[in-house]
Amino acid sequence: MTTIETHIQYSNSYNMTEEDYMVQEEDWDRDLLLDPAWEKQQRKTFTAWCNSHLRKAGTQIENIEEDFRNGLKLMLLLEVISGERLPKPDKGKMRFHKIANVNKALDFIASKGVKLVSIGAEEIVDGNLKMTLGMIWTIILRFAIQDISVEETSAKEGLLLWCQRKTAPYRNVNVQNFHISWKDGLALCALIHRHRPDLIDYSKLRKDDPIGNLNTAFDVAEKYLDIPKMLDAEDIVNTPKPDEKAIMTYVSCFYHAFAGAEQAETAANRICKVLAVNQENEKLMEEYEKLASELLEWIRRTIPWLENRTPEKNMGAMQKKLEDFRDYRRVHKPPRVQEKCQLEINFNTLQTKLRLSNRPAFMPSEGKMVSDIANAWKGLEQVEKGYEEWLLLEIRRLERLEHLAEKFKQKASLHESWTRGKEELLTQRDYESASLMEIRALVRKHEAFESDLAAHQDRVEQIAAIAQELNELDYHDAASVNSRCQAICDQWDNLGTLTQKRRDALERVEKLLETIDQLYLEFAKRAAPFNNWMDGAVEDLQDMFIVHSIEEIQSLITAHEQFKATLPEADKEKMSILGIQAEIQKIAQTYGIKLSGINPYTNLTHLDISNKWETVKQLVPHRDQTLQEELARQQANERLRRQFAAQANVIGPWIQSKMEEIGRISVDISASLEDQMNHLKQYEQNIISYKSNIDKLEGDHQLIQESLIFDNKHTNYSMEHIRVGWEQLLTTIARTINEVENQILTRDAKGISQEQMNEFRASFNHFDRKRNGMMDPDDFRACLISMGYDLGEVEFARIMTLVDPNNTGVVTFQAFIDFMTRETAETDTAEQVMASFKILASDKSYITIEELRRELPPEQAEYCITRMTKYTGADAISGALDYMSFSSALYGESDL
């Protein structure tokens, strides 16, 4: 739109010249004063007009020359009426802040194509009334009047023409201007009555009651039309020539109030007509939209559930999640697979019907195309696969966590049992009052303890390593594990410190001691590591294990056999240690030494060694039994793997062969389409009857998952592969049957013979080089050339828009058939139907109800009568119907 510049020049008062749409009417001397009557009318009208917009922002003005002085409400008014944001106003209260705000408003007005002359921000800030009124009139003219357009006239002339047209039928109304033509109030009442006859009884108005007429119009407009009262009836009547700008401002409000209602009424009539004609097809479209929405909504609700990767704290909760996932696979998903297949079939059938009836192709609403549903389904299956993998990994993790947690508790308990009382022992000061032999015994006992302490270092490190792994695997009770581990480490550090302190003390006293019982010392030194070895053996024999294959359990059995091979040597060591104790007893008996019965160097006795040795011997056969049971379980798992693989290796190739056979049937030209349909439906029944094999395989797969079997080297087919292949097989047979049904529908609708269909299929198969039921554009061009088409680039591009409207880059057989039948067969057109109606109407431009009932069957006659519009031509008679527009509407065309 060409920018319209509006020039405002002020002398005593103000006047505005609009170069493109308004003629300057008068020039005022800047040194003169405004006419008091006009000033009063403009002040009231412009104030009310401003408040009608400012109230949308929750504010208003009281005094027009005072309230705009700081520029804030002026900027707010421009933002409300323009719908645009102005620069941020200055918040200060100084004069230069106000001038800056007013200048921002004046700059915005100028940016809209209005040229301001003689209006400065200083005069607005100073409260100059005539300049303020002039500026408001500029805003009204630009934003409320400039865009009014009636029959190639705009602004003031357009508004005046609109008033003249609307009030022309009314008596005593002759609108020629925007001042004296409105003094008696009848023009305003006529405008209201023309658009809302229910609000005013025009017949009761009198020309000699101008004040009553004006007040009636003002009150009705304010109450029912949301147009505020901007004028006083007495001011208008008592003024020889009312202010033109005030009248134009008020009348423009009526134009904007009524213009939208007329446009809405016209649009509603047009929509009703279109909806009536396309009711049947829209029902089919609505069914598609409903089914697509429900399927997409199910996918939308299911994906967040599958994306939820919140881990559980125990194995039971994760097993419950796995069971819920199996229910989803077996119960909830299969019906949705059928819905997806049915949705594609319905879509193809609807498009075929629309093409056969020369209707525009159906375009589903955004996000509901077949490709959108396919993408959503693909996303669902990707998330589904990830969810199953996550479940299995999480179960493995929890299994590992439970094993580590139990191992941590066992080792921690053993260590805590060993360290119990050690700190009290290390802090004793018994050496201060001990004899020489007792001191030497204390020294040797401490050496033995240090040896024992070093032997336990490895266990402490193992405990810390297990705790760290539990933290890395996000164990739910990691806090208690960390607390217990920290306590063990702190105690271990303290034991090291106390051990060093006691050793220092004993070494100081040891110089004073001379004798020591070497046999006790030898016993202590040999018994301690042997005891530690037995502790380790007991710990290993009681250790839990997790294996997933026969090879792993065989490795454990081999290690156990190697351990048993060391027992004879250990038995010799035990006998040697017990021999030391026997030697002590022999020396005591020989020399008459009275023994206290306590070895001063160790708390271990020969009975401790004997009892612990018996414990080791008892645990060995128990370990044998546990390993053999696990071997049996792994052998059973191997049988499950082989059983699943045997079925999967049969079902997988069977599905692939059926897919290939369906492809061969779909391109077979030796049989008729009906034979192909029967053959395909027989295949469909065979496929459905094969479902029991899939269910049996699902049962074996469930046993495998319940046994926590995570791999199978005997087959390349997983249950996921079989499921996807089965779903693709079901979808392929259903889609192929639908394609053949559509070919039969096309053949019958277009009158194509079986030989022609075979010829089309043979041509298509010849150029379908990939044998996937689709041709790329180059193959399609070669096919058309072989059939005698003379193709240029433009013509071929036109044909491609017909056969590949979605620009997929391939041409399906159905699109190829539609194009060939469109080229070789004729279809009824709107002109042909119109010519047929003209024959029934005896060459008249209309047809009567009697002629329709006489010439057409009752059902078709009533269909036409209820949908044809009334004929309004010059030769119309009572009951005449418009068959021309009806014929055009049938084919989605505009009236001819």
Side-chain angles (χ1 to χ4, degrees), residues 524-548:
K525 286 186 176 181
R526 295 181 65 176
F530 185 69
N531 182 67
N532 287 336
W533 177 84
M534 288 191 295
D535 285 341
V538 170
E539 183 178 344
D540 291 339
L541 291 171
Q542 293 177 337
D543 188 23
M544 295 181 296
F545 54 84
I546 298 175
V547 295
H548 298 288

Side-chain angles (χ1 to χ4, degrees), residues 498-564:
L498 294 175
T499 299
Q500 185 62 40
K501 287 181 178 179
R502 183 171 178 84
R503 182 176 183 83
D504 294 341
L506 290 173
E507 287 177 349
R508 286 194 304 269
V509 178
E510 187 180 14
K511 295 178 181 180
L512 303 175
L513 305 177
E514 298 178 352
T515 62
I516 188 169
D517 190 342
Q518 292 294 331
L519 291 176
Y520 272 134
L521 179 61
E522 181 68 15
F523 178 88
K525 286 186 176 181
R526 295 181 65 176
F530 185 69
N531 182 67
N532 287 336
W533 177 84
M534 288 191 295
D535 285 341
V538 170
E539 183 178 344
D540 291 339
L541 291 171
Q542 293 177 337
D543 188 23
M544 295 181 296
F545 54 84
I546 298 175
V547 295
H548 298 288
S549 66
I550 294 178
E551 291 76 9
E552 293 177 1
I553 189 63
Q554 288 287 8
S555 176
L556 291 178
I557 291 174
T558 301
H560 183 62
E561 292 299 326
Q562 293 173 352
F563 168 77
K564 289 195 296 183

Side-chain angles (χ1 to χ4, degrees), residues 2 73 136 216 235 260 278 330 354 366 404 460 480 486 532-533 558 635-636 646 659 667 700 728 856:
T2 304
K73 289 189 177 181
I136 297 301
T216 297
D235 293 342
N278 295 279
R330 293 193 302 262
L354 290 172
E366 184 177 357
L404 288 174
V460 174
S480 64
Q486 186 62 45
N532 287 336
W533 177 84
T558 301
Q635 290 171 343
M659 292 285 287
V667 299
D700 291 344
Q728 289 178 347
L856 296 178

Side-chain angles (χ1 to χ4, degrees), residues 46 98 109 116 158 166 204 224 274 276 310 313 339 381-382 423 445 495 554 590 604 618 750 787 860:
F46 291 178
K98 298 178 181 180
I109 296 172
L116 301 173
K166 296 300 180 180
K204 294 182 179 180
Y224 297 102
V274 172
T310 304
K313 295 182 179 180
E339 288 181 9
E381 292 186 332
Q382 290 175 347
E423 292 173 304
K445 181 178 180 180
L495 284 175
Q554 288 287 8
T590 302
L604 291 173
Q618 292 173 3
K750 301 295 186 176
M787 299 177 71
Q860 283 73 20

Side-chain angles (χ1 to χ4, degrees), residues 5 52 81 93 95 133 200 234 277 367 426 433 453 464 634 670 784 796 809 814 849:
E5 294 187 351
S52 70
I81 63 177
K93 297 183 179 181
R95 175 178 173 83
L133 293 176
I200 292 179
E234 291 78 2
V277 173
L426 292 171
S433 59
L453 186 70
Q634 289 301 323
S670 62
L784 293 180
F796 182 68
Q814 184 62 42
I849 295 175

Side-chain angles (χ1 to χ4, degrees), residues 572-613:
K572 292 179 181 180
E573 177 68 10
K574 182 207 69 166
M575 295 303 297
S576 177
I577 293 172
L578 294 179
I580 294 174
Q581 181 65 29
E583 182 69 16
I584 293 173
Q585 296 292 338
K586 181 179 179 181
I587 294 174
Q589 293 174 359
T590 302
Y591 297 100
I593 298 175
K594 187 176 181 181
L595 301 174
S596 63
I598 300 175
N599 190 325
Y601 306 113
T602 181
N603 291 326
L604 291 173
T605 68
H606 66 287
L607 293 177
D608 293 333
I609 299 299
S610 298
N611 293 337
K612 193 166 292 186
W613 177 254

